[in-house]
Structures are given as structure tokens and as C-alpha cells.
Amino acid sequence: MLAIFQRHPRFAITCALGLLCLLLLQTSGPSDPFGPRLGRLYRHGHSSGGDLDTAWRLSQSEHVYQNMLRDRAKLIQKFGPTKNDILPWPKNREFYTLWDFFIPAFNCPHETQRVGILGDGGKWMCGLSRLQDKKDCTIYSFGINDESSFEAGLLELTQHCEVWGYDFSVKDFGPEIRNVPHLAARSHFKSWGLAGKDDPNGRPPMYTLQSLMKMNGHKFIDILKIDIEGYEFPALRSLIEYSKKHNQPLPFGQLQLEIHADRMPGVKDDKKMFKEFLEWWESLEEAGLRPFWTEPNLIFVNINLGTQPALAEYSFINIKADHDVLH
């Protein structure tokens, strides 16, 4: 060895550095931003990939997302300097809108695909292949509006998924399911609404998500779609409070959500709107929801020329629940 070093010192130094790097990689573990559950996936992941690859991707995505949170704080300080000073739709040539504070910085660890019509109604999904053969696959969809291409697409792309749909403005799913017998057989519909508290005797009847799941005998929802014209704020707030009270993660794997930022309950002016919206959004993040895709509703802007771009589609992964997309 000494002779090799004397004859070829640069080669010997390079080899020594390589061995040192290899030893460091073997002895140092990856970061564990998700807590002990995903840490176990790192330590016991399969050498052929699988859980180990997914856990590594999730860890890197969370690292990127935490960096984005710091950038959000900087943007608030730049244009605020506090959240009480930010306007969601500035009119003095500031170079931002509300949505620039809430970018989908998290990456889906699997394939992403858009399911449903290419116009208003389709949604972005993460890792749908993970649910293709799952036998107890459960889908909830709130807000049908006689257009069910998204729900029909999910049923077509999976073998065993069933969908529970709710919308008090219509009497059934759209023709994409209603007129297709083999899809209609895996669907269930009620003319009820989703809300922050139960009102079974109301017109229309309104229920919390936790109450509907109990009625249907469900413990977990694989895919949750919500498009309910502003009711998403109290409905999700109620569910988060319920989950905290019972020390449970949110009971779904991923969420496809249209946000109606102009319809926050109790918010009547722009000066309060950003603060209220930020606090609501941060409650989603604290509960484990990470956005991996967004799509502004430009159809709404086009129809109502001159209006604020207050509607946006977001897709989230729940990183605190144990579900198929995470392993």
C-alpha cells in the first residue's frame, strides 16, 4: 500500500476519499421529517426499491416544502410586513396574488395524472396506480353538478373502488355514471350537503364528513373530492377539530379541493381576508396536508371578466395518515 502511495499519490488520495465517503453514507441516516413511522420505512425499506424509494422521495419533498414555508414568511415580510397588512388582490402594482403564498411545493412520489374532462371538472391525482387493485377502495365526492367525468374516470381506472356522491342541487350523478350500468353499480348518491355541523332536518340536509363516514361504516377514504362553493372552509375546519380532539390523523389519503377564496364565512373585506385564509390554510398544513398540484379556475375569470381569480383547484396528499400512496 505504501508503495502505491509513493508511486501514485494522487490515485491513493482519491481512493481514500472515496472510502471515507462510503463509510459516512453507511453510518449517517436520512432526515426523518415525518416522524418515526416513515423513519421505520427508511430503516427497513426493501433493497429493490418500494418503501425505501417512496420514503426518500417524501422526505426530500418535505424538505423542499419547509423551504417554501420560509419563502412564504419572507414574501409576507416584504409586502406586509405582517399578515394583517397583506391584501389578497393588490391594486398598487405589487407583484403577487393570494395564490403566490400557497404554491404546491410538495411532489407526488408516484405518477401524477389528470382524471376527468379537460375543462372544469377534471382533477389531478397522485399515484392512482396504487389503488388500481385495492379491494376496499373508497371515494367520496362532494359537489356533482350533473358532471361526473372525474368520478367515472376513477371507477374506470380502478377495479374495486366505490364512490359515495353528495350534492343537494341535483338528484343523481351525471350521465357519465348514471347511463353506464357497470359504473352505476359501484356508486351511491344522496342529495345532501357537506357542512361544518350536522343539520339532518334542514332543507337540504347537511352533515359533517365524520358523520357521513359513521353512517356509511367507513374508517378511511382513499380519495376525497370537495367542490362545494365556500362550504369547504367550515367543513374542513370541523373535521380538523374533530381529528385533534380524538388524537387521530385526518381520515383520507388525498384531497382534490376547489377553493372559493371569495366566500370565506364572516370575511367581508380584503383587509381581513388574507389573515383568515392563511390561518385556515396553516391548519391544513398542521394536519398533514401537502399540496402537490394547483390549477387556477380561469373559466370563472373568463366568464366574469374583470373579476379576481378567486377560485383555484388544489390537490393534496395527507402525509400523517397511513395509506397506499405513502408506501
Side-chain angles (χ1 to χ4, degrees), residues 33-47:
F34 297 95
R37 183 176 61 78
L38 275 182
R40 288 194 296 271
L41 288 182
Y42 277 113
R43 291 187 287 275
H44 304 296
H46 302 298
S47 60

Side-chain angles (χ1 to χ4, degrees), residues 15-29:
C15 290
L17 287 173
L19 287 171
L20 178 61
C21 290
L22 182 60
L23 287 171
L24 288 173
L25 286 172
Q26 289 177 338
T27 56
S28 64

Side-chain angles (χ1 to χ4, degrees), residues 38-97:
L38 275 182
R40 288 194 296 271
L41 288 182
Y42 277 113
R43 291 187 287 275
H44 304 296
H46 302 298
S47 60
S48 59
D51 287 351
L52 184 61
D53 290 343
T54 300
W56 181 85
R57 291 172 186 170
L58 289 167
S59 176
Q60 295 305 304
S61 288
E62 181 66 5
H63 176 71
V64 170
Y65 198 82
Q66 292 300 319
N67 285 336
M68 184 278 299
L69 295 182
R70 287 186 279 273
D71 290 339
R72 178 194 294 167
K74 292 177 183 177
L75 194 62
I76 291 173
Q77 186 176 33
K78 177 178 180 180
F79 289 107
T82 73
K83 62 184 178 182
N84 299 306
D85 306 309
I86 298 291
L87 293 175
W89 321 111
K91 298 180 175 63
N92 297 318
R93 298 184 64 84
E94 295 95 335
F95 290 95
Y96 75 86
T97 71

Side-chain angles (χ1 to χ4, degrees), residues 83-283:
K83 62 184 178 182
N84 299 306
D85 306 309
I86 298 291
L87 293 175
W89 321 111
K91 298 180 175 63
N92 297 318
R93 298 184 64 84
E94 295 95 335
F95 290 95
Y96 75 86
T97 71
L98 172 72
W99 307 119
D100 291 304
F101 294 87
F102 307 103
I103 63 172
F106 201 85
N107 290 320
C108 166
H110 311 292
E111 82 285 353
T112 58
Q113 66 186 103
R114 200 176 192 278
V115 178
I117 192 171
L118 291 181
D120 188 34
K123 312 289 180 185
W124 285 94
M125 302 294 304
C126 171
L128 188 56
S129 61
R130 293 298 181 110
L131 304 176
Q132 183 177 0
D133 301 315
K134 185 180 180 185
K135 294 194 176 175
D136 56 347
C137 173
T138 302
I139 303 165
Y140 273 45
S141 180
F142 295 94
I144 305 299
N145 195 28
D146 206 38
E147 204 292 311
S148 299
S149 62
F150 171 68
E151 294 81 5
L154 292 177
L155 295 180
E156 291 280 12
L157 292 168
T158 58
Q159 297 294 316
H160 307 288
C161 287
E162 294 189 32
V163 58
W164 277 257
Y166 298 90
D167 189 331
F168 56 78
S169 70
V170 294
K171 295 182 179 180
D172 202 348
F173 285 104
E176 298 85 358
I177 288 180
R178 187 174 65 241
N179 296 339
V180 184
H182 74 278
L183 298 184
R186 292 159 57 197
S187 67
H188 317 267
F189 184 87
K190 292 287 186 183
S191 294
W192 300 345
L194 180 68
K197 59 182 180 179
D198 293 329
D199 185 9
N201 298 318
R203 296 187 178 181
M206 306 292 284
Y207 294 93
T208 63
L209 181 62
Q210 53 269 31
S211 293
L212 290 172
M213 292 179 69
K214 186 176 181 180
M215 272 188 242
N216 296 327
H218 293 143
K219 300 286 188 184
F220 192 79
I221 300 169
D222 294 282
I223 298 168
L224 172 61
K225 173 204 136 180
I226 299 178
D227 182 358
I228 52 176
E229 312 305 314
Y231 282 96
E232 65 269 14
F233 296 106
L236 287 171
R237 189 177 290 118
S238 169
L239 180 64
I240 289 171
E241 290 172 357
Y242 178 87
S243 297
K244 278 185 177 180
K245 181 179 178 180
H246 292 84
N247 195 28
Q248 299 169 346
L250 293 177
F252 55 83
Q254 59 182 300
L255 168 66
Q256 281 65 42
L257 173 69
E258 181 164 59
I259 300 175
H260 304 77
D262 57 341
R263 302 186 187 182
M264 287 199 74
V267 178
K268 297 181 179 179
D269 59 72
D270 281 355
K271 290 184 179 179
K272 278 185 64 180
M273 194 262 163
F274 180 83
K275 175 180 178 294
E276 295 292 326
F277 188 93
L278 174 65
E279 291 174 355
W280 174 78
W281 182 278
E282 287 177 336
S283 73

